[in-house]
């Protein structure tokens, strides 16, 4: 191995250790601010409330549920810098919590589509700046109200508050493919019909509309 490659590897290892250490420090500070009734089950760093400054979304479950399957009881947003961790507020969103990240969950169902362009996969969904406006989106997967499955709902920060930019529907929804350059996603939506005693499947496309700051959905078939 050349000396240059060796130095690069050493530098990357040091950088990774520093980032990991900083994340642990941030999470320790956050856990100390959370009521002892809750504990952190997942988190993600991003530009959730500012294009310039970092923040972190923290999902919590109740401590009394430690031995049960994890579920999301509280969602907090914290502003962070090199020294301080400050609570911005609570996010009142519904979401499911899977044993594995959503990319892995899709693969476990035999769905092998490439979802890497969406952003980071988590137990609750994905986070990423899919519409390229500098603000990190939160793409929640949540249980359908009357269906045995899950749907999706996207949130993003606009003008001082979090806004639902793709509302959830009462259906089972999967992301089939994505196009980051066009800011579009193709969705498969299915809903049970009592009339035919079968699921009706529809394919739709969502596209980011910068004028309304919403994803506009059109049914393809």
């Amino acid at each position: 191995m050349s000396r240059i490659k060796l130095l690069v590897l050493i530098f990357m290892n040091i950088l990774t250790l520093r980032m990991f250490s900083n994340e642990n420090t941030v999470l320790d500070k956050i856990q100390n601010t959370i009521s002892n009734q809750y504990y952190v089950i997942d988190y993600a760093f991003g530009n959730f409330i500012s294009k310039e400054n970092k923040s972190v979304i923290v999902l919590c479950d109740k401590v009394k549920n430690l031995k049960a399957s994890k579920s999301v009881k509280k969602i907090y947003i914290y502003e962070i810098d090199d020294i301080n961790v400050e609570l911005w507020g609570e996010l009142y969103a519904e979401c499911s919590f899977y044993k594995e990240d959503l990319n892995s969950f899709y693969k476990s169902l035999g769905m092998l589509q490439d979802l890497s362009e969406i952003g980071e996969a988590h137990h609750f969904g994905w986070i990423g700046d899919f519409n390229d406006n500098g603000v990190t989106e939160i793409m929640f997967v949540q249980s359908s109200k009357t269906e045995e499955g899950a749907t999706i709902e996207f949130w993003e920060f606009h003008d001082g508050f979090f806004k639902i930019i793709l509302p959830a529907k009462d259906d089972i929804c999967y992301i089939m493919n994505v196009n980051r350059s066009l800011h579009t996603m193709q969705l498969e939506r299915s809903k049970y019909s009592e009339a035919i005693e079968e699921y009706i499947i529809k394919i739709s496309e969502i596209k980011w509309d910068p004028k309304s700051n919403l994803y506009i959905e059109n049914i393809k078939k």
Side-chain angles (χ1 to χ4, degrees), residues 41-45 48 57 59 96-107 113-129 136-141 175:
I41 56 174
D42 204 355
Y43 66 93
F45 288 85
F48 297 106
I57 180 173
L59 293 88
S96 300
F97 194 88
Y98 289 80
K99 293 181 180 180
E100 54 196 338
D101 69 68
L102 264 294
N103 285 0
S104 299
F105 175 70
Y106 270 49
K107 289 178 181 177
Q113 57 265 47
D114 182 10
L115 301 177
S116 60
E117 285 190 324
I118 299 177
E120 290 181 12
H122 288 266
H123 297 268
F124 58 87
W126 298 267
I127 64 107
D129 184 14
T136 307
E137 298 162 66
I138 309 169
M139 293 161 263
F140 289 117
V141 172
I175 299 171

Side-chain angles (χ1 to χ4, degrees), residues 97-216:
F97 194 88
Y98 289 80
K99 293 181 180 180
E100 54 196 338
D101 69 68
L102 264 294
N103 285 0
S104 299
F105 175 70
Y106 270 49
K107 289 178 181 177
S108 73
L109 298 178
M111 303 173 73
L112 304 179
Q113 57 265 47
D114 182 10
L115 301 177
S116 60
E117 285 190 324
I118 299 177
E120 290 181 12
H122 288 266
H123 297 268
F124 58 87
W126 298 267
I127 64 107
D129 184 14
F130 187 75
N131 54 23
D132 290 320
N133 65 354
V135 181
T136 307
E137 298 162 66
I138 309 169
M139 293 161 263
F140 289 117
V141 172
Q142 61 175 245
S143 297
S144 299
K145 302 299 182 185
T146 59
E147 304 284 340
E148 292 183 1
T151 189
I152 56 175
E153 185 168 270
F154 295 177
W155 291 59
E156 192 175 60
F157 193 77
H158 289 282
D159 300 324
F161 64 95
F162 280 92
K163 177 181 180 181
I164 298 175
I165 56 175
L166 180 70
K169 294 185 177 181
D170 189 15
D171 61 9
I172 300 171
C173 182
Y174 293 106
I175 299 171
M176 303 309 295
N177 62 60
V178 299
N179 189 319
R180 177 70 178 270
S181 61
L182 296 178
H183 307 137
T184 62
M185 296 185 193
Q186 187 181 76
L187 308 179
E188 179 189 274
R189 293 188 178 276
S190 59
K191 189 170 180 63
Y192 188 77
S193 169
E194 295 285 354
I196 62 174
E197 297 184 342
E198 185 59 81
Y199 280 91
I200 297 174
I201 299 175
K202 295 182 179 180
I203 304 298
S204 68
E205 182 182 80
I206 60 171
K207 182 177 178 62
W208 177 249
D209 177 24
K211 293 182 179 179
S212 63
N213 288 325
L214 294 170
Y215 281 100
I216 306 301

Side-chain angles (χ1 to χ4, degrees), residues 25-34 40 56 58 78 85:
T25 300
V26 169
L27 291 174
D28 286 343
K29 289 184 178 181
I30 288 173
Q31 186 63 66
N32 288 335
T33 69
I34 295 173
V40 177
V56 57
V58 178
Y78 285 83
V85 179

Side-chain angles (χ1 to χ4, degrees), residues 45-73:
F45 288 85
N47 295 91
F48 297 106
I49 55 178
S50 169
K51 296 180 182 180
E52 294 78 22
N53 301 316
K54 293 293 182 182
S55 48
V56 57
I57 180 173
V58 178
L59 293 88
C60 304
D61 194 0
K62 289 188 175 181
V63 170
K64 69 178 183 179
N65 297 338
L66 277 170
K67 295 182 180 180
S69 297
K70 294 180 177 61
S71 60
V72 180
K73 301 301 183 185

